[in-house]
């Protein structure tokens, strides 16, 4: 997970938006449309970042397609300190 966090947030473009998505989901579960609105980011951009975060087991989803909510995974929660270190390096 440590390598994935560095890759997702520092090693490629979009890390700041992915960090903002994590922060918003940490406040409360949200769907892609809610994230796009609250972060003032294009819906398709949010979808791309959600796919990346889900692929690396940072977030998981629940519910049907349109209203699908996103949550932080237990695995991510176990590595939250590393995430905080990555944020400091950004």
């Amino acid at each position: 997970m440590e390598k994935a966090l560095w890759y997702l947030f520092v090693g490629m473009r979009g890390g700041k938006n992915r960090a903002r998505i994590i922060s918003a989901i940490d406040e409360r579960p949200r769907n892609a449309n809610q994230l796009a609105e609250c972060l003032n980011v294009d819906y398709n951009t949010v979808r791309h970042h959600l796919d990346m975060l889900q692929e690396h087991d940072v977030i998981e989803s629940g519910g049907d397609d349109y209203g699908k909510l996103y949550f932080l995974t237990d695995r991510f929660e176990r590595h939250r300190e590393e995430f905080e270190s990555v944020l400091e390096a950004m």
Side-chain angles (χ1 to χ4, degrees):
M1 175 63 87
E2 181 179 338
K3 289 178 185 178
L5 292 173
W6 281 97
Y7 172 72
L8 287 168
F9 298 101
V10 178
M12 57 189 309
R13 288 180 20 190
K16 288 182 182 178
N17 277 332
R18 282 190 280 279
R20 293 175 62 214
I21 289 170
I22 294 299
S23 178
I25 293 172
D26 194 29
E27 288 176 10
R28 69 177 175 84
R30 300 172 196 252
N31 66 32
N33 190 53
Q34 292 167 330
L35 287 164
E37 287 178 9
C38 113
L39 300 174
N40 197 28
V41 176
D42 181 72
Y43 175 83
N44 289 327
T45 301
V46 168
R47 288 286 326 138
H48 167 73
H49 292 309
L50 290 171
D51 290 344
M52 293 290 295
L53 292 168
Q54 210 164 10
E55 181 180 320
H56 289 88
D57 201 27
V58 173
I59 62 171
E60 58 191 347
S61 62
D64 62 21
D65 271 346
Y66 179 73
K68 186 186 304 185
L69 294 176
Y70 292 89
F71 307 86
L72 300 175
T73 63
D74 291 340
R75 184 173 180 219
F76 172 81
E77 292 293 354
R78 289 190 301 272
H79 292 88
R80 186 175 284 273
E81 286 183 30
E82 183 62 31
F83 173 69
E84 297 298 332
S85 295
V86 169
L87 289 184
E88 289 175 13
M90 289 178 65

